[in-house]
Amino acid sequence: MAKKIFSGVQPTGNLHLGNYIGAIKNFVDLQNEPENNCVFCVVDLHAITLKQDPLELKNNIRETAATFIASGIDPTKSIIFNQSLVPAHSEGSWILSCIARMGWLNRMTQFKEKAGKDKEKASVGLYIYPVLMAADILLYDATHVPVGDDQKQHLELCRDIAQKFNNDYNVKDVLVPPEPLIQKQFSRIMSLKDGQKKMSKSDVSDLSRINLTDDKDKIVNKIKKAKTDPHPIPENVKDLDQRPEAENLLGIYSSLKRQSIEKTLEEFGGKNFSEFKNNLSELLVSNIEPISKEIKNLLNNHDHLDKILLDGGIKANEIAEKKVREIKKIIGF
Ligand code: AQP
């Protein structure tokens, strides 16, 4: 069945292996099913929920677009644009913030994590971030949204907002509640330094993540230094319980090899980590180094990248603006 796909990535720098395995690699697979219609957005309006340096933000918008393309997203097949080019996202977000309930937003764990202890000082934008995300998705009638496991709760909220709008205004299916596409396995890649923490752009330690711009030497060094435990690799999945670092590294390997973790354990069960790490490094280098080189290539031509984003923005605007007009008419504007 043809799917309408929407997903976004924040241009906040340091795009990493977690973003690749949890999101971007799946974007490419979905795009390559010819019947699908895909929209991939550099969500720069989301990025400013935390303070950004203007010059860095501009660079990061281009770098995120370059990462999409270098990873295999083809602008002739998919729409690639940055969110701030399409005013309907902000307009739709305001309207939907009048549908969403405070109680729903109060339950969002990502706000709690990102706001930290001092919630009073967090931006209002950070609090209503999931409403903007709902607008992003609903404006394109997206049926499926590929995301990492950390975005599951935001997608449930998006479905609630869509259903409440349809009920409140007594309209059927004007806003389409989307299905999340979250991989069953390897949907949360963990830090290389702490198997209990998500691999994240904002981790102060660069050794905690493989950046998609890392070269061969950096990748090999980071895997060499990645935390493991003193035991050999087990032969059964259940023996990975309580061994989060081992599970994470084996998961990364399995995901890139597109095989089950059981198959990986057949290959490496009983062996020590140094042998496994050599294989993992090789696999990572063969997957990530071509992307990293292509990102650098693409970043040498800003005009080319800006044109891709602008052309994508024009196409996205046509779709999103039409939807906002439909919503405004229903509301009585
Ligand atoms: N560690 C991860 N494992 C699997 N998927 C992940 N994603 C992010 N981290 C992991 C998925 O990547 C997509 C884009 O994420 P984003 O850039 O919009 O924002 P994020 O989730 O806030 O990324 P970070 O790295 O976690 O940033 P910080 O450090 O700022 O919190 C999403 O689909 C996300 O699920």
Side-chain angles (χ1 to χ4, degrees):
M1 191 193 80
K3 300 184 182 89
K4 283 190 186 174
I5 308 289
F6 181 97
S7 198
V9 174
Q10 294 191 72
T12 36
N14 297 336
L15 281 180
H16 51 71
L17 188 66
N19 298 125
Y20 181 69
I21 293 179
I24 301 172
K25 179 163 148 294
N26 308 322
F27 298 176
V28 178
D29 291 345
L30 287 160
Q31 164 198 267
N32 292 340
E33 289 171 30
E35 68 278 14
N36 291 345
N37 282 309
C38 300
V39 180
F40 298 117
C41 186
V42 178
V43 289
D44 49 9
L45 296 174
H46 282 273
I48 62 163
T49 54
L50 299 174
K51 191 163 187 289
Q52 303 294 328
D53 173 82
L55 250 185
E56 244 175 66
L57 179 61
K58 209 171 190 56
N59 287 335
N60 285 335
I61 291 169
R62 290 189 179 119
E63 191 172 301
T64 307
T67 306
F68 281 177
I69 298 162
S71 304
I73 297 174
D74 176 350
T76 65
K77 292 186 186 159
S78 300
I79 297 178
I80 302 177
F81 73 109
N82 57 307
Q83 199 182 18
S84 62
L85 289 173
V86 179
H89 287 253
S90 306
E91 205 176 357
S93 172
W94 173 255
I95 294 170
L96 296 183
S97 72
C98 299
I99 302 292
R101 304 290 97 181
M102 293 284 286
W104 300 355
L105 286 173
N106 285 340
R107 285 198 286 275
M108 296 296 114
T109 52
Q110 192 182 76
F111 174 76
K112 291 178 195 159
E113 282 160 21
K114 291 205 169 176
K117 287 196 186 93
D118 203 354
K119 286 196 189 53
E120 298 286 312
K121 289 211 172 130
S123 71
V124 175
L126 189 66
Y127 182 68
I128 61 165
Y129 178 115
V131 179
L132 175 59
M133 180 167 158
D136 299 341
I137 296 164
L138 297 172
L139 288 176
Y140 296 86
D141 293 332
T143 56
H144 294 82
V145 182
V147 281
D149 177 63
D150 58 325
Q151 293 297 328
K152 196 170 171 198
Q153 199 184 28
H154 289 168
L155 274 191
E156 278 159 13
L157 183 95
C158 173
R159 292 176 58 85
D160 288 344
I161 292 175
Q163 272 150 358
K164 181 161 165 48
F165 178 90
N166 292 339
N167 285 340
D168 285 359
Y169 289 100
N170 204 15
V171 287
K172 202 168 170 278
D173 302 332
V174 166
L175 297 185
V176 180
E179 294 296 328
L181 286 178
I182 300 174
Q183 301 171 90
K184 285 192 184 67
Q185 280 188 306
F186 329 123
S187 60
R188 186 176 286 241
I189 303 301
M190 311 309 276
S191 156
L192 299 179
K193 292 272 130 203
D194 177 353
Q196 317 267 15
K197 252 172 71 185
K198 190 180 84 149
M199 185 177 284
S200 144
K201 296 167 182 160
S202 54
D203 196 312
V204 286
S205 167
D206 195 52
L207 289 175
S208 69
R209 62 180 165 261
I210 305 282
N211 298 308
L212 297 178
T213 48
D214 282 347
D215 59 18
K216 181 178 174 186
D217 291 347
K218 278 199 178 155
I219 296 172
V220 172
N221 183 44
K222 285 178 179 180
I223 293 302
K224 205 181 272 171
K225 295 201 165 138
K227 186 172 169 197
T228 49
D229 56 42
H231 309 292
I233 294 171
E235 306 204 343
N236 292 309
V237 179
K238 68 173 174 22
D239 296 330
L240 283 171
D241 271 3
Q242 316 297 327
R243 297 183 64 187
E245 285 83 15
E247 189 176 6
N248 188 41
L249 294 181
L250 290 158
I252 293 172
Y253 183 90
S254 310
S255 162
L256 292 178
K257 271 261 178 161
R258 294 177 184 269
Q259 68 185 25
S260 67
I261 202 146
E262 286 81 1
K263 176 90 190 19
T264 302
L265 292 181
E266 271 173 37
E267 257 177 73
F268 295 101
K271 296 189 173 148
N272 59 31
F273 272 103
S274 59
E275 183 178 345
F276 169 69
K277 279 185 167 183
N278 289 338
N279 285 271
L280 176 61
S281 290
E282 240 173 64
L283 182 64
L284 276 166
V285 169
S286 69
N287 275 268
I288 303 302
E289 204 186 36
I291 296 177
S292 148
K293 283 188 175 155
E294 186 57 16
I295 293 173
K296 281 168 200 143
N297 251 343
L298 287 161
L299 285 172
N300 282 329
N301 191 344
H302 285 180
D303 289 349
H304 174 63
L305 280 175
D306 292 350
K307 174 137 181 17
I308 289 174
L309 288 170
L310 206 60
D311 288 350
I314 292 168
K315 290 184 205 151
N317 194 58
E318 258 174 46
I319 305 170
E321 207 243 349
K322 189 165 162 234
K323 192 76 195 181
V324 160
R325 250 188 285 137
E326 184 186 2
I327 293 171
K328 284 165 80 172
K329 201 166 162 208
I330 289 169
I331 288 175
F333 289 160

